[in-house]
Each structure stands twice: as structure tokens, then as C-alpha cells.
């Protein structure tokens, strides 16, 4: 077992007492054996801490009990800094890993290119009780995916569309090391992580559903496009980063498309200040495109 790469599963909990025990058990039930599990509680006040303590009793799981809420990005980074695995999984306390998630990820990394930094898969989407509603990627009656999922060098795809189911990701440690973890100034991590990692690393895709993503009322993901959501301001910050990272005409064109999409979200949620800021990104991107004419940078 010691010859197998160590995988760190970091389970992040914030007021998820009803679900965190099941999430921990899903990590313990992995068919892959060389795993360390770290549970981080981000200042919960609903009894989650007590549920975690009961769930990890008699195990080697490490519990990082943060005294106050510091936000998802900073809380995960606390677990990342405490971990030692060659690969990491960011497991939200309301989601579940299926038993072969780690094993199949390790196998795909072993057979993939050295530049592969992120592995992702399909997922079962469930309701709060755990009943399966659908798969993340639409499938036909025969169970086949209706569309091809981008893999490899997908930086430009990541600008154009959100298509990865975040809890399915398994990530080489060196990716986090290069990025210095999640950007703690942002209110959510996914889009920023995809962009910054996708610029340098390739993505591997496994079509099997390897995770159960639970749809929970008032969760972070369901609040992402709410009235004056802080997440929209974080998305704008990521678009600023995209402008600096882009290297090709098609990437700038994708950024303009992304900004126009975000403007529509801002209109729906009355974030009028951000509309003006997005307009400025579009303007300077168009000026850069004009200066390049039809030549690729």
C-alpha cells in the first residue's frame, strides 16, 4: 500500500450536520486504500462539530475545528496546508464519493499525460434525501451521453461555459502548490480554480458517475445567482484574470462572450455596478483584438 500515491480527501463542513456523517463515511468506504481524510469545520453553529466528532471516533481522521467562519476558500486551504497527499479531493459535507472514485482517478492519472493536473467525472444529482434525480451530463435512453465532454487542454472551453461538476474533481497536489491554493479573496473557488489551472494543466475526464452531488436548499451553489450575490463580484474578478491570462484571439472572443453572459446575470440580479465593469473588460478586449487584426498572438 505504501507504494501507492497518497490521496488526501478534505471534507469541508459549514452547518451541514444532517449530511456530514454520510460524507465522512463515503470517504472511509473507498476501494483505494492509501488515503488520508481531513475534516475541516468552518465555524458551524448547528451541531456539526459534535456530529463530526462522533463520526470520526475510532478512526485516524484529522479534525480541524475552526473557531469562526472564514469562508470556503480559506477553510479549504487550511485543510490543504495540513494535508500531505500527492492528490487531493475537495469534498463538500453535503456530497458523497462513490466507492471507486479515488481508485478510478488514480488509474486514469497513471495512464494519462504528465501534464494532466485535474481529473473529473460525471455525477449523480440527488435531492436532500439522497434520491437520484438525474446525471450531471444529459444522457439518452441507452445511458449514453448526448454530447462530447471536453478534455485535455480545455482552458478556452472553461472560459466559454461552466460544464464541470465541481465535487467530481481530483487534483494533483502540484497544481494547488503552483496556484498557492484557492484565492481567499473570492467568495467561491470553482471558476477561478478552473481558469488558473486550465491555463497550465490538462484535464482528464471519466464518463462514469463517481460522485453524488446533493441539491440542498440555500446551499452555496443555489445562492450563487441570488439578489446582489457576492459570487457575481468574484466572477468579475476571475474575468479580469482571464484578460491577463489569454494568449489567443479565440480566447479573447470567448472572454467577450463570457462577459456578455455575466452581464445578463447582473441584469437579472440588479448588480448594475458590475454591468459597467464588465463593459470595460469587453471594451479593452475588443481594442486588443482590433490591434491584432486577424493574426494570432
Amino acid at each position: 500500500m505504501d507504494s501507492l500515491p497518497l490521496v488526501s480527501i478534505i471534507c469541508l463542513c459549514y452547518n451541514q450536520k444532517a449530511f456530514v456523517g454520510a460524507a465522512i463515511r463515503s470517504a472511509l468506504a473507498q476501494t483505494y486504500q492509501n488515503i488520508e481524510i481531513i475534516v475541516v469545520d468552518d465555524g458551524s453553529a448547528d451541531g456539526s462539530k459534535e456530529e463530526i466528532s462522533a463520526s470520526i471516533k475510532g478512526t485516524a481522521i484529522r479534525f480541524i475545528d475552526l473557531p469562526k467562519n472564514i469562508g470556503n476558500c480559506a477553510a479549504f486551504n487550511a485543510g490543504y496546508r495540513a494535508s500531505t497527499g500527492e492528490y487531493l479531493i475537495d469534498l463538500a459535507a453535503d456530497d458523497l464519493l462513490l466507492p471507486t472514485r479515488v481508485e478510478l482517478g488514480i488509474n486514469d492519472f497513471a495512464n494519462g499525460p504528465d501534464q494532466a493536473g485535474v481529473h473529473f467525472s460525471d455525477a449523480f444529482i440527488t435531492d436532500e434525501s439522497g434520491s437520484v434525480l438525474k446525471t450531471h451530463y444529459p444522457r439518452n435512453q441507452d445511458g449514453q451521453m448526448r454530447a462530447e465532454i471536453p478534455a485535455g487542454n480545455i482552458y478556452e472551453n472553461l472560459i466559454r461555459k461552466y460544464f464541470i461538476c465541481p465535487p467530481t474533481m481530483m487534483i494533483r497536489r502540484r497544481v494547488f502548490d503552483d496556484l498557492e491554493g484557492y484565492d481567499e479573496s473570492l467568495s467561491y473557488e470553482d471558476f477561478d480554480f478552473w481558469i488558473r489551472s486550465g491555463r497550465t494543466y490538462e484535464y482528464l475526464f471519466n464518463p462514469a458517475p463517481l460522485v453524488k452531488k446533493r441539491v440542498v436548499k440555500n446551499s452555496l451553489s443555489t445562492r450563487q445567482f441570488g439578489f446582489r450575490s457576492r459570487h457575481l463580484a468574484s466572477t468579475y474578478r476571475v474575468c479580469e484574470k482571464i484578460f491577463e491570462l489569454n494568449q489567443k484571439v479565440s480566447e479573447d472572443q470567448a472572454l467577450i462572450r463570457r462577459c456578455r453572459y455575466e452581464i445578463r446575470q447582473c441584469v437579472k440580479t440588479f448588480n448594475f455596478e458590475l454591468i459597467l465593469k464588465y463593459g470595460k473588460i469587453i471594451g479593452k478586449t475588443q481594442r486588443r483584438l482590433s490591434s491584432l487584426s486577424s493574426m494570432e498572438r
Side-chain angles (χ1 to χ4, degrees), residues 47 140 155 270 273:
N140 60 29
Y155 173 77
F270 303 99
E273 182 180 351

Side-chain angles (χ1 to χ4, degrees), residues 92-152:
D94 51 6
D95 296 328
L96 300 171
L97 303 176
L98 294 179
T100 59
R101 196 281 159 260
V102 174
E103 180 181 355
L104 293 179
I106 288 293
N107 288 343
D108 288 347
F109 271 119
N111 293 307
D114 185 62
Q115 198 57 25
V118 181
H119 181 273
F120 69 106
S121 73
D122 200 1
F124 290 118
I125 308 301
T126 78
D127 61 18
E128 289 197 24
S129 71
S131 297
V132 174
L133 304 173
K134 60 181 181 179
T135 53
H136 177 74
Y137 298 109
R139 295 172 181 262
N140 60 29
Q141 292 182 341
D142 296 328
Q144 301 300 312
M145 288 187 182
R146 295 178 182 173
E148 183 176 351
I149 308 304

Side-chain angles (χ1 to χ4, degrees), residues 81-200:
R81 289 189 291 267
S83 69
T84 58
E86 184 178 341
Y87 299 89
L88 296 97
I89 289 177
D90 179 352
L91 173 63
D94 51 6
D95 296 328
L96 300 171
L97 303 176
L98 294 179
T100 59
R101 196 281 159 260
V102 174
E103 180 181 355
L104 293 179
I106 288 293
N107 288 343
D108 288 347
F109 271 119
N111 293 307
D114 185 62
Q115 198 57 25
V118 181
H119 181 273
F120 69 106
S121 73
D122 200 1
F124 290 118
I125 308 301
T126 78
D127 61 18
E128 289 197 24
S129 71
S131 297
V132 174
L133 304 173
K134 60 181 181 179
T135 53
H136 177 74
Y137 298 109
R139 295 172 181 262
N140 60 29
Q141 292 182 341
D142 296 328
Q144 301 300 312
M145 288 187 182
R146 295 178 182 173
E148 183 176 351
I149 308 304
N153 182 356
I154 59 172
Y155 173 77
E156 187 174 317
N157 302 90
L158 294 167
I159 299 172
R160 291 182 180 276
K161 184 178 181 181
Y162 301 128
F163 62 90
I164 294 174
C165 185
T168 70
M169 292 192 299
M170 179 173 170
I171 303 153
R172 285 192 196 269
R173 182 179 200 88
R174 71 169 185 252
V175 178
F176 277 111
D177 291 344
D178 287 350
L179 301 183
E180 298 181 342
Y182 290 148
D183 183 343
E184 297 183 11
S185 70
L186 303 178
S187 65
Y188 76 105
E189 73 285 355
D190 306 327
F191 188 31
D192 179 70
F193 173 80
W194 294 331
I195 292 301
R196 293 196 293 142
S197 63
R199 178 75 283 175
T200 305

Side-chain angles (χ1 to χ4, degrees), residues 54 57 73 99 108 114 118 161 202 214 217 235 274 296:
K57 188 175 181 180
C73 296
D108 288 347
D114 185 62
V118 181
K161 184 178 181 181
E202 294 185 13
R214 200 187 307 261
K217 185 179 180 181
T235 302
L274 283 179
E296 291 278 329

Side-chain angles (χ1 to χ4, degrees), residues 215-256:
V215 178
V216 179
K217 185 179 180 181
N218 294 324
S219 68
L220 188 69
S221 59
T222 60
R223 298 195 309 269
Q224 185 163 346
F225 297 108
F227 176 72
R228 294 193 181 278
S229 169
R230 292 190 306 117
H231 294 338
L232 291 173
S234 290
T235 302
Y236 167 75
R237 294 269 310 281
V238 179
C239 288
E240 287 186 310
K241 295 183 184 184
I242 294 171
F243 179 82
E244 299 300 328
L245 290 170
N246 277 359
Q247 298 173 359
K248 300 193 299 183
V249 165
S250 60
E251 292 168 357
D252 273 352
Q253 292 169 337
L255 175 57
I256 291 172

